[in-house]
């Protein structure tokens, strides 16, 4: 707007001022110095000034002192500007009240453009400003109220956009203020859930429903926030009527976060479920121990219904087993620690007693005052019985019921301590059941177990109640004898055991005989602690085995030297195969009439670099006892097959090679598969190998043994009974199995010249073989007289030093070429 031009003619000023007089606004005119030149009647009446006085005043004179500086700054700021500007200030009215004036001020210039003052037109805007201030205050209060609310408040438009929200809404929805302002409910930033936890679309939320229906909507919904956290909300959505000038309604939604309350309710629900369905009995009492509530398990354990227990005290279950001191100590712990746990004896409604595992907790309020007690207990009758059973099983052999190694050690330690205090003697007997492994492997573990049970019963009948009989595992037993006066007392117990064990056991329709090898160690003579007594009794037991079994031996120091020697032999034997210290020698089996070689027996020899030449009987027994017999037997079979193939290729072999089989090798190894693989590997027919079996193996009746022998015959190998006559030979055994020949043991042959009875036995065995169409070979033929007897009796074959000692394979070539050996009549080949 251009500046106001001062009229050049006075009458023009008069006309303008006359016009201003009737304006309802405050009109004034001041010169370039700010002094009044004119003010209209409205100004004069407002300020209560007279015309003469007003013309002498500066136009800022009636302004509020606080507004003077502001107005002066604005005037100076607009000097030289041709446009009008506005000022708001407070002007003193005639009654002294200051009123707010909105003054529109224009610069005044002469026709030549020279600034000569200002003209202003002011309106009283006090009422408007008061109204605006009140509205502003209301808005401030509302925003303050919204900001302080714990509930979230949002206003949305129909498009789902947030128009307004408070800070609580930001926290609930996990968004910043900027994110809230840009958030649209349909964007998918928030995932909504119904009360069952199923996802629902935004259209089903109360806010959108209220917008679409125009009616308030409320309810519980869940949401998954952008940060993945799940919250549960109580929502109240109220649609607002659309303003006349605006066709769309909005919705105001208040949301309360009830996640914690819902979790608490869930916890309470779960707690109530646990209380009702707990397998343990639960009792809640007040501070005076009056029962307020019990669960179903309480009724099941005690027999008291809830209506019978509520109002009573837990003394209802008191058994009378515990004295008052017990209960006083229990309540002292509860008072001091707020908790007690232990075992008590309680009484059911029917009067029966039961052990109970009980815990009592004190419940306190915020001030620390006890308000309730909660007792949880359970009937532990079965648990106590199980603990007793477990304790028993932990200390007893489950098969025989005898004390096991652990309990034996404890009782032996106690017996030693008592013997030391009272200067008494005790005896430790180490018992090993003879031939048990053979029985167990051949007749089965069930029969073996029943045998062990029968043996345990007989053992316990041999000792006093103060003594201890223990099974250590397998076929080993230990007996601790206390208050032994003399070593003969232990010997008498050992003799009694051997006597009671001699009658056979009737198991599964079979009569089975067994015996014990017993070693005895004495305290204090043979050791002053459990370890040394056990070790020495074990050593003595091995000596009993070596002395024919079914006997006992006392320990003496020489046995330790023998045990060390045995350990050295065992270690050396384990290295013998690797060190190539083993070899096979061969001894011919000869026709007694023609001298023709009818077979070769392979005999194992061991020349130890550490121990020297070892006797085969000793180290074969050692191999059986230390578990090496299977590996050793396989090596012998392989060497024999390889040697047979080698002699065949040289055209020397026309007779079979006999190989001795250990009972343990036969029972533990797959002898059929092993021999079949060897025959195939060396391209050898089965008829070139004979297997020699002991009578003890054939005594182990059973389909497995017969099936194995039939399978071996199917490979073409020959079968012989070795050491015939030393076992319990009978006709049934010879008829039951596919045997080709019998070999009379050397013990019968060596005494033919001196004992007529032996001659009768040999005669009977030869006739038995002939009657059963079996070839008969005599072992250990060392003299012409023995050979002559065998010829007269019709024995087909003989083997011994009368013909040839065992020779290494290389020394057999000449004999195999000759195929015939005359009797040497004890010449250079004396045994």
């Amino acid at each position: 707007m251009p500046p106001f031009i001062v009229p050049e003619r006075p009458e023009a000023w008069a006309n303008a001022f006359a016009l201003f007089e009737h304006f309802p606004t405050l009109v004034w005119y001041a010169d370039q110095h700010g002094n009044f030149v004119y003010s209209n009647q409205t100004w004069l009446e407002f300020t209560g000034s007279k015309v003469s006085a007003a013309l002498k005043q500066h136009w800022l004179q009636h302004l509020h002192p606080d507004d003077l500086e502001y107005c002066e700054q604005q005037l100076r700021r607009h000097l030289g500007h041709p446009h009008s500007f506005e000022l708001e200030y407070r002007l003193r009215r005639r009654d002294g009240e200051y009123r707010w004036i909105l003054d529109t001020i224009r610069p005044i210039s002469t026709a030549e453009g020279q600034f000569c003052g200002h003209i202003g037109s002011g309106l009283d805007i006090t009422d408007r400003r008061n109204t605006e201030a009140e509205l502003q205050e209301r808005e401030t209060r509302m925003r303050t109220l919204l900001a302080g609310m714990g509930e979230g408040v949002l206003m949305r438009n129909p498009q789902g956009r947030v128009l307004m929200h408070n800070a609580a809404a930001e926290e609930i929805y996990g968004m910043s203020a900027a994110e809230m302002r840009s958030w649209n409910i349909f964007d998918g930033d928030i995932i909504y859930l119904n009360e069952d936890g199923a996802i629902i679309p935004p259209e089903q939320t109360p806010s959108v429903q209220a917008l679409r229906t125009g009616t308030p909507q409320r309810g519980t919904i869940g949401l998954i926030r952008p940060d993945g956290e799940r919250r549960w909300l109580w929502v109240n959505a109220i649609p607002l009527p659309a303003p006349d000038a605006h066709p769309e309604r909005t919705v105001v939604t208040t949301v309360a976060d009830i996640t914690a309350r819902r979790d608490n309710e869930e916890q309470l629900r779960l707690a109530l479920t646990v209380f009702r369905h707990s397998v343990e009995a639960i009792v809640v009492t007040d501070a005076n121990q009056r029962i307020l509530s019990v669960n179903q398990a309480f009724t099941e354990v005690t027999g008291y219904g809830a209506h019978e227990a509520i109002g009573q005290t837990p003394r209802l279950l008191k058994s009378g087993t515990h004295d008052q001191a017990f209960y006083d100590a229990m309540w002292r712990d509860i008072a001091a620690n707020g908790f007690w746990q232990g075992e008590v004896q309680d009484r059911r409604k029917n009067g029966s007693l039961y052990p109970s595992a009980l815990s009592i907790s004190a419940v306190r309020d915020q001030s620390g005052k006890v308000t309730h007690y909660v007792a949880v207990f359970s009937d532990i009758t079965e648990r106590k019985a199980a603990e007793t059973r477990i304790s028993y099983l932990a200390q007893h052999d489950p098969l025989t019921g005898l004390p096991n190694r652990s309990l034996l050690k404890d009782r032996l330690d106690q017996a030693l301590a008592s013997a030391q205090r009272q200067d008494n003697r005790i005896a430790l007997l180490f018992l090993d059941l003879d031939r048990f492994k053979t029985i167990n492997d051949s007749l089965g573990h069930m029969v073996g177990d029943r045998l062990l049970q029968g043996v345990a019963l007989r053992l316990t009948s041999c000792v006093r109640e103060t003594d201890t009989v223990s099974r250590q595992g397998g076929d080993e037993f230990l007996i601790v004898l206390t208050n032994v006066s003399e070593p003969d007392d232990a010997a008498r117990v050992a003799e009694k055991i051997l006597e009671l064990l001699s009658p056979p056991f009737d198991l599964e329709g079979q009569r089975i005989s067994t015996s014990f090898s017993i070693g005895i160690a004495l305290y204090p003579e043979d050791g002053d602690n459990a370890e040394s007594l056990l070790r020495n009794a074990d050593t003595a037991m091995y000596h009993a085995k070596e002395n024919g079994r079914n006997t006992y031996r006392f320990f003496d120091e020489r046995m330790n030297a023998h045990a060390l020697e045995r350990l050295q032999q065992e270690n050396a034997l384990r290295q013998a195969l690797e060190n190539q210290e083993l070899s096979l020698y061969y001894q011919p089996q000869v026709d007694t009439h023609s001298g023709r070689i009818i077979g070769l027996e392979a005999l194992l020899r061991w020349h130890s670099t550490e121990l020297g030449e070892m006797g085969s009987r000793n180290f074969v027994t050692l191999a059986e006892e230390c578990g090496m017999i299977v590996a050793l037997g396989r090596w012998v079979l392989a060497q024999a097959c390889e040697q047979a193939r080698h002699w065949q290729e040289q055209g020397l072999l026309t007779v079979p090679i006999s190989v001795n089989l250990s009972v343990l090798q036969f029972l533990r190894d797959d002898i059929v598969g092993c021999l079949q693989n060897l025959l195939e590997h060396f391209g050898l027919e089965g008829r070139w190998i004979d297997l020699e079996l002991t009578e003890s193996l054939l005594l182990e009746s059973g389909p497995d043994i017969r099936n194995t022998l039939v399978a071996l015959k199917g490979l073409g190998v020959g079968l012989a009974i070795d050491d015939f006559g030393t076992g319990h030979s009978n006709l049934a055994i010879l008829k039951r199995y596919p045997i080709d020949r019998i070999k009379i043991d050397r013990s019968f042959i060596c005494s033919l010249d001196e004992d007529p009875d032996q001659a009768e036995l040999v005669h009977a065995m030869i006739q038995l073989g002939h009657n059963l169409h079996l070839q008969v070979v005599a072992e250990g033929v060392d003299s012409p007289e023995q050979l002559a007897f065998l010829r007269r009796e019709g024995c087909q074959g003989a083997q011994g030093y009368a013909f040839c000692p065992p020779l290494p394979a290389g020394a057999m070539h000449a004999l195999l070429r000759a195929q015939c050996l005359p009797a040497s009549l004890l010449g250079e080949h004396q045994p």
Side-chain angles (χ1 to χ4, degrees), residues 516-527:
F516 267 128
S517 296
I518 304 174
I520 304 173
L522 299 173
Y523 167 84
E525 292 91 337
D526 302 328

Side-chain angles (χ1 to χ4, degrees), residues 46-47 64 91-99:
F46 185 89
T47 60
H64 193 285
L91 184 65
R92 187 176 63 246
R93 204 168 57 178
R94 63 183 357 179
D95 58 3
E97 179 186 358
Y98 283 96
R99 304 283 289 182

Side-chain angles (χ1 to χ4, degrees), residues 26 40 59 120 146 188 203 214 252 267 275 298 390 417 519 540 559 603 648 725 781:
L26 306 177
N40 68 353
W59 80 273
L146 289 175
E203 289 78 8
V252 174
Q267 292 297 322
F275 177 80
F298 172 89
I390 291 171
M559 293 181 178
L603 299 170
Q648 264 196 349
V781 180

Side-chain angles (χ1 to χ4, degrees), residues 584-588 603 605 647 804-812 815 829:
L584 289 186
Y585 276 48
Y586 299 88
Q587 187 173 35
L603 299 170
R605 294 292 183 262
W647 280 336
C804 182
L807 298 173
M812 291 296 299
L815 296 178
H829 300 306

Side-chain angles (χ1 to χ4, degrees), residues 273-285:
T273 301
V274 170
F275 177 80
R276 289 175 176 173
H277 301 288
S278 173
V279 296
E280 294 185 308
I282 302 175
V283 179
V284 181
T285 76

Side-chain angles (χ1 to χ4, degrees), residues 704-772:
D704 291 343
I705 294 177
R706 175 173 175 77
N707 293 340
T708 301
L709 293 176
V710 170
L712 289 171
K713 288 298 294 181
L715 296 177
V717 302
L719 298 177
I721 298 179
D722 194 19
D723 301 334
F724 187 77
T726 58
H728 300 279
S729 304
N730 58 61
L731 184 61
I733 290 178
L734 298 177
K735 293 177 65 176
R736 185 183 305 142
Y737 299 116
I739 303 300
D740 298 303
R741 68 178 179 272
I742 58 176
K743 296 183 70 177
I744 301 174
D745 187 70
R746 65 185 304 113
S747 62
F748 296 100
I749 305 300
C750 67
S751 56
L752 279 175
D753 302 336
E754 306 167 357
D755 189 351
D757 292 336
Q758 290 288 70
E760 289 296 328
L761 287 174
V762 173
H763 169 78
M765 285 187 276
I766 293 173
Q767 292 305 311
L768 176 64
H770 290 168
N771 292 335
L772 294 176

Side-chain angles (χ1 to χ4, degrees), residues 782 800-806 824-831:
D782 298 330
Y801 280 80
F803 305 100
C804 182
S824 63
L825 301 180
L826 299 179
E828 59 182 8
H829 300 306
Q830 282 191 352

Side-chain angles (χ1 to χ4, degrees), residues 397-402 431 433 436 439 445-462 469 471 474-475 477 496-497 499-508 510 512-516:
D397 172 44
L399 178 64
T400 63
L402 296 176
L431 303 90
L433 203 59
F436 176 73
I439 296 171
H445 294 290
M446 184 173 296
V447 173
D449 288 348
R450 290 190 58 192
L451 176 62
L452 290 173
Q453 291 170 339
V455 168
L457 286 174
R458 295 189 187 183
L459 281 179
T460 53
S461 67
C462 297
V469 180
R471 181 182 176 223
D475 56 357
F477 294 82
K496 184 178 180 182
I497 291 171
E499 180 183 354
L500 287 180
L501 204 63
S502 61
F505 292 85
D506 190 0
L507 302 174
E508 302 293 335
Q510 301 185 66
I512 299 175
S513 297
T514 187
S515 60
F516 267 128

